[in-house]
Amino acid sequence: MNISNLFKEKKVVFSFEIFPPKKESKIDTIYNTLEELKGLSPDFISVTYGAGGSLTKNRTCEISSIVKNKYGIEPLAHLTCINSSKEDVTKILDDLKKEGVENILALRGDIPLDYKENSNFKYSSDLIKHIKERNDFNIVGACYPEGHLDSKSYEEDLLNLKRKQEFGATHVISQLFFDNKFFYDFLDKKDKYGVNIPIQAGIMPVINTKQINRIVSLCGAKIPDKFIKIMNKYEYNPEALRDAGIAYATEQIIDLISTGVDGIHLYTMNNPYVAKKISESISSIIHTINNCDKVVN
Ligand code: FAD
């Protein structure tokens, strides 16, 4: 299924992100994770692509195939291009095609320290263009409500987002954020640049302090004072911190849905407990929005 159709059928699309387990010995854990996520009826599940883009080490195709062919859920396979040749990308796309995967999240990837510029793919838009030429995948892109760390300016980032749309992305998923105000400002601004494809808000429930430090160093998301207060208060009580993180993400999601967001993409971190708690809390809200015409705007 081409997941761009979901945005025509539903007022709010709800999906999950998972990652292939890093250790070979943990690969079986993905079955338990998917078993539980299936019960939450996501519209699709995206599968990340390992940084660095090594063909042999990546299990995105294998896991995407499991999502589709064993669990009957539509997969969205992530694919980065910064370190790949056209031949590498063609091979991965052919493999995904063989497994019945129809949707690709086309990404540049973070620039590796040993990166040597090559002429194949410099930006995600180069990859989007390349995939579009094959005409056999639905293409999704990434966007950055707080701006991308490499961008010279917020405006330049929006021009580049417009380019993704022009080259063939049918919707975009946002980088995580902890203050919905950034997302709403971004929606206002992108309209002025003619970006009119659906935008799914990426939400990450933070359930431990190690995770938060890593996130901030990787993507630069700003942490609101309210959130820091919660993190500090429950730093030494893992259960309370987990529950507070779940509640914080749930509040963000309810606000976004009530404000009319096109979709929510939950970064599950392969933690079905967290995904379940959040899904249960918002299921009646999503049901109401998607099935009732009489929601007051
Ligand atoms: P691009 O769209 O290429 O943008 C990168 C920078 O270049 C931006 O500053 C942009 O403004 C600028 N730019 C873009 N086009 C041009 C142009 N033509 N000329 C000049 N400047 C330009 N990483 C992984 O390794 N694996 C994953 O599975 C993964 N999944 C992700 C999922 C989501 C939803 C998101 C938001 C990010 C994900 N990432 C993943 C991280 C992503 O790879 C990094 O954020 C990366 O640094 C940028 O990728 P991009 O596709 O947005 O890049």
Side-chain angles (χ1 to χ4, degrees), residues 24-275:
E24 181 68 37
S25 58
K26 292 255 171 84
I27 202 75
D28 281 350
T29 61
I30 206 69
Y31 292 101
N32 301 335
T33 304
L34 283 169
E35 200 69 56
E36 296 204 46
L37 294 184
K38 184 180 165 73
L40 307 176
S41 309
D43 287 314
F44 66 87
I45 292 184
S46 83
V47 184
T48 64
Y49 193 81
S54 154
L55 257 185
T56 45
K57 286 193 198 133
N58 264 295
R59 305 194 82 145
T60 308
C61 180
E62 180 188 345
I63 307 291
S64 299
S65 173
I66 293 171
V67 169
K68 173 138 192 153
N69 300 311
K70 183 166 167 58
Y71 292 94
I73 304 167
E74 209 51 48
L76 167 64
H78 297 210
L79 176 59
T80 66
C81 63
I82 190 69
N83 238 359
S84 302
S85 65
K86 279 210 166 121
E87 292 70 34
D88 288 346
V89 166
T90 300
K91 163 135 186 34
I92 296 168
L93 292 172
D94 288 347
D95 288 350
L96 287 164
K97 183 95 199 144
K98 253 185 255 158
E99 299 301 328
V101 176
E102 295 173 56
N103 304 282
I104 308 277
L105 175 52
L107 299 151
R108 182 194 71 179
D110 288 324
I111 298 182
L113 289 174
D114 61 350
Y115 174 62
K116 290 189 194 71
E117 197 168 318
N118 66 47
S119 58
N120 288 307
F121 303 103
K122 196 166 177 192
Y123 300 111
S124 67
S125 47
D126 301 325
L127 179 63
I128 293 173
K129 206 169 160 193
H130 177 77
I131 302 173
K132 185 71 186 167
E133 277 162 14
R134 295 172 53 114
N135 204 23
D136 55 356
F137 286 102
N138 173 53
I139 308 164
V140 181
C143 68
Y144 300 84
E146 297 180 63
H148 187 270
L149 281 178
D150 299 350
S151 292
K152 289 196 196 84
S153 68
Y154 200 81
E155 288 64 34
E156 189 197 70
D157 220 26
L158 285 163
L159 284 171
N160 290 321
L161 177 58
K162 178 77 188 302
R163 196 172 278 132
K164 295 186 196 193
Q165 173 179 300
E166 282 166 357
F167 285 1
T170 58
H171 98 265
V172 284
I173 301 178
S174 89
Q175 182 60 279
L176 59 90
F177 55 90
F178 298 104
D179 186 340
N180 289 358
K181 185 182 167 302
F182 291 120
F183 188 76
Y184 298 138
D185 286 351
F186 168 73
L187 291 187
D188 281 347
K189 293 201 177 93
K190 64 92 189 161
D191 282 347
K192 295 188 187 107
Y193 285 77
V195 175
N196 50 26
I197 50 178
I199 302 201
Q200 255 188 299
I203 296 295
M204 178 172 283
V206 172
I207 54 164
N208 61 58
T209 37
K210 223 164 69 191
Q211 194 188 353
I212 191 103
N213 297 333
R214 201 168 160 267
I215 292 163
V216 178
S217 69
L218 279 178
C219 73
K222 292 187 192 66
I223 313 290
D225 289 345
K226 180 179 159 186
F227 193 68
I228 294 174
K229 209 162 89 187
I230 294 171
M231 290 283 128
N232 290 342
K233 186 90 184 164
Y234 304 113
E235 195 179 349
Y236 300 109
N237 186 329
E239 208 173 298
L241 188 62
R242 179 198 66 196
D243 290 349
I246 291 172
Y248 190 92
T250 305
E251 196 183 316
Q252 267 193 289
I253 294 171
I254 294 172
D255 179 62
L256 287 159
I257 294 177
S258 307
T259 310
V261 71
D262 295 316
I264 301 290
H265 191 59
L266 194 68
Y267 297 112
T268 71
M269 303 301 287
N270 292 10
N271 186 327
Y273 175 85
V274 172

